[in-house]
Amino acid sequence: MNENITPYQSETATKKEQVANMFNNISGTYDFLNHFMSLGIDIIWRKKAIRELKSIKPRIMLDVATGTGDFAFEAIKILAPEKIIGVDISDGMLDVARKKIQDRNLQHVFSVQTGDSEGLHFNDDHFDAITVAFGVRNYENLEKGLADMYRVLKPGGKIVILEFSKPRKFPIKQGYNFYFKHITPMLGKMFSKDNRAYCYLPESVAAFPDGEEFTRLMNKVGFKNTKDRRLTFGISAIYTGTK
């Protein structure tokens, strides 16, 4: 499991604390680097992931590890829910999200709050849908985080998780590994104030239990009808499940 992969290898801070600190450090450049390093493909991935929820027409949604809010904003465009709550452990990222919410005048639909994905402060069976984009690999206890999201999801509700994956086929696998291990840290060092953050990214992806291993974990905590949909030669994946 990936709980041993941490941003800073600190002997005193937990993974959760290190991840929060890392995202606070890179919050100002996070959106730019996301789009720049993925050549904008991450925007297409988000759209495809959100469309997985169109059939259930969710009214009340939770966006876990919401960051700067891009996944939730996409959900508002495509699904037009009544309310989305975004939760994240990084106050720096949430500050960026709040400014974007205000600039787009979406306060009546989208609100954000500091929160722990492994201990969500919501009642059982509360949300029609839950989304997570590029967040689950940062969980300190992945099974606990999945179980708590299952708890707050309504019966019949659906979860959609967008996460980096590992390509299996030549030559995509080799090119991907080179880009992630060498180019990503270099670009991160050029544009970000935190040199370690973009070294941690490929490390956390490499350690993440993707594919069938991840859907088995979803099944273990109770999710049904779990699916793994690969995108862009397996660079990322959409995981879905219902309660």
Side-chain angles (χ1 to χ4, degrees), residues 146 210-222 226:
L146 288 172
D210 65 340
E212 290 184 9
E213 191 176 352
F214 185 67
T215 55
R216 280 198 297 269
L217 195 57
M218 292 178 70
N219 293 334
K220 182 180 178 182
V221 303
T226 55

Side-chain angles (χ1 to χ4, degrees), residues 1-6 15 137 142 164 166 200-210 213:
M1 295 296 285
N2 66 333
E3 53 262 32
N4 294 323
I5 302 297
T6 58
K15 176 174 181 177
R137 75 178 187 284
L142 182 55
F164 287 114
K166 296 184 282 287
Y200 164 75
L201 173 59
E203 293 169 0
S204 65
V205 173
F208 182 70
D210 65 340
E213 191 176 352

Side-chain angles (χ1 to χ4, degrees), residues 56-223:
I56 69 166
K57 300 178 181 178
R59 307 317 304 152
I60 309 297
M61 297 180 61
L62 175 66
D63 187 38
V64 180
T66 194
T68 64
D70 277 359
F71 211 30
F73 289 124
E74 202 60 60
I76 292 169
K77 287 181 191 174
I78 294 173
L79 304 172
E82 293 174 9
K83 186 173 185 179
I84 297 184
I85 298 174
V87 173
D88 202 283
I89 59 172
S90 167
D91 290 321
M93 296 287 274
L94 291 178
D95 286 342
V96 177
R98 289 186 183 99
K99 185 177 186 307
K100 290 160 76 171
I101 292 168
Q102 187 173 7
D103 290 345
R104 301 174 193 198
N105 196 27
L106 289 172
Q107 299 93 323
H108 61 293
V109 179
F110 185 20
S111 63
V112 296
Q113 60 189 59
T114 306
D116 181 356
S117 56
E118 297 165 27
L120 298 165
H121 297 299
F122 302 104
N123 294 331
D124 297 359
D125 308 329
H126 188 71
F127 295 97
D128 299 313
I130 297 176
T131 56
V132 194
F134 308 115
V136 289
R137 75 178 187 284
N138 297 318
Y139 286 11
E140 190 167 72
N141 186 318
L142 182 55
E143 184 175 335
K144 185 178 179 182
L146 288 172
D148 210 43
M149 290 190 290
Y150 181 84
R151 177 185 65 81
V152 302
L153 188 64
K154 288 180 180 179
K158 188 172 184 179
I159 190 169
V160 174
I161 297 170
L162 175 63
E163 189 53 86
F164 287 114
S165 189
K166 296 184 282 287
R168 268 67 168 177
K169 295 183 179 179
F170 176 88
I172 302 300
K173 176 181 176 180
Q174 288 71 18
Y176 171 87
N177 288 338
F178 178 82
Y179 183 82
F180 240 25
K181 290 179 181 178
H182 301 286
I183 305 301
T184 296
M186 181 185 71
L187 292 173
K189 188 174 182 179
M190 287 173 60
F191 294 105
S192 168
K193 293 185 292 184
D194 191 325
N195 294 342
R196 263 298 299 167
Y198 291 91
C199 294
Y200 164 75
L201 173 59
E203 293 169 0
S204 65
V205 173
F208 182 70
D210 65 340
E212 290 184 9
E213 191 176 352
F214 185 67
T215 55
R216 280 198 297 269
L217 195 57
M218 292 178 70
N219 293 334
K220 182 180 178 182
V221 303
F223 287 108

